[in-house]
Amino acid sequence: MTDSSAALPDATVPPTASRRAVPRADIVLPCLDEAAALPWVLDRIPDGWRAIVVDNGSTDGSAELARSLGAHVVTEERRGFGAACHAGLLAAEAEFVCFCDCDGSLDPALLAGFVRRIADGECDLLLGRRRPEGRGAWPPHARAGNLALARMLRRRTGLRLHDLGPLRAARRADLLALDLTDRRSGYPLQMVVRASDAGLRVAESDVPYRPRSGKSKVTGTWRGTWHAVRDMRGVLREPPADRPSVSASAPSPAPSGTGASR
């Protein structure tokens, strides 16, 4: 299988490019008790973009705080990271949809660079490859689980990705066409696997990864990491879906040299 993944330059928008308008996007922010981090996260949303905070059962007033800060709040009663992400995707209206954790570990401002690269035809699905900064940003067990999954993903799809991080962007139509069904920890991986199966060009770009606010609900413990890996291994066992390519809405592939074309 031809490899369709590649590391792109850092997602930060260079000064010469900042004068060009960035296409509008909606940012999906799955949220479970993230009141401490919400003000910083929402303050980093690019101008003109809509923040969709998907409250997944918070008890710390996260939903009310998000509304007061101008976010569009969606309630998803079914617990699960995938359930929250997909509810946000369905609520999105913009051509481009981005995803970002709501815990302050990742900077949503970087997504402007992600969307520009997709709009310019460099790739169809762009993931943030996390580069930890600061003590405790990425616990050893979480790194080990991520590395194992990246290797299994390569065997399944041929994609040479190093990370399956939550900072990502794509066209809304492309994501909806993937018919994603996982509603737990396997959702991010299923998105990548089905995107590859459908012929979308998948790439990654380095992003800083800082210590999160509060404790992770998924990979904060060995037990949580194991459950996440188990969910994702189930996704990898799924046979390739017999579906047409969903990349017809994307621009023509970038000229050779971008490293992202299939």
Side-chain angles (χ1 to χ4, degrees), residues 54-76:
V54 184
D55 185 64
N56 201 210
S58 298
T59 59
D60 67 347
S62 289
E64 294 77 12
L65 176 60
R67 287 192 188 93
S68 73
L69 294 173
H72 176 71
V73 177
V74 173
T75 299
E76 175 53 60

Side-chain angles (χ1 to χ4, degrees), residues 244-255:
S245 172
V246 298
S247 58
S249 63
S252 299

Side-chain angles (χ1 to χ4, degrees), residues 15-181:
T16 56
S18 62
R19 292 188 292 271
R20 289 191 291 124
V22 178
R24 176 178 171 269
D26 288 338
I27 300 184
V28 176
L29 300 161
C31 178
L32 177 58
D33 293 332
E34 304 290 5
L38 268 170
W40 182 84
V41 171
L42 293 177
D43 186 59
R44 299 291 295 171
I45 302 297
D47 291 341
W49 290 22
R50 184 174 66 145
I52 302 176
V53 174
V54 184
D55 185 64
N56 201 210
S58 298
T59 59
D60 67 347
S62 289
E64 294 77 12
L65 176 60
R67 287 192 188 93
S68 73
L69 294 173
H72 176 71
V73 177
V74 173
T75 299
E76 175 53 60
E77 296 182 355
R78 179 169 44 172
R79 284 292 185 96
F81 183 76
C85 287
H86 203 69
L89 174 61
L90 294 179
E93 299 174 351
E95 177 183 359
F96 298 94
V97 177
C98 305
F99 296 84
C100 182
D101 276 354
C102 205
D103 56 16
S105 62
L106 293 162
D107 186 353
L110 296 175
L111 288 166
F114 278 41
V115 168
R116 177 174 283 126
R117 285 186 165 91
I118 295 170
D120 287 348
E122 292 188 25
C123 58
D124 303 306
L125 173 61
L126 181 52
L127 314 179
R129 180 185 181 184
R130 292 170 286 185
R131 296 294 198 176
E133 296 183 354
R135 185 179 179 86
W138 205 353
H141 56 270
R143 292 196 202 194
N146 188 74
L147 179 61
L149 287 167
R151 288 173 175 171
M152 288 187 283
L153 175 68
R154 181 177 177 182
R155 288 196 296 268
R156 166 65 173 76
T157 66
L159 293 172
R160 295 177 179 271
L161 297 175
H162 301 84
D163 190 11
L164 297 170
L167 194 73
R168 52 184 63 190
R171 282 181 167 78
R172 178 175 179 270
D174 284 348
L175 295 179
L176 290 174
L178 297 179
D179 192 24
L180 302 174
T181 57

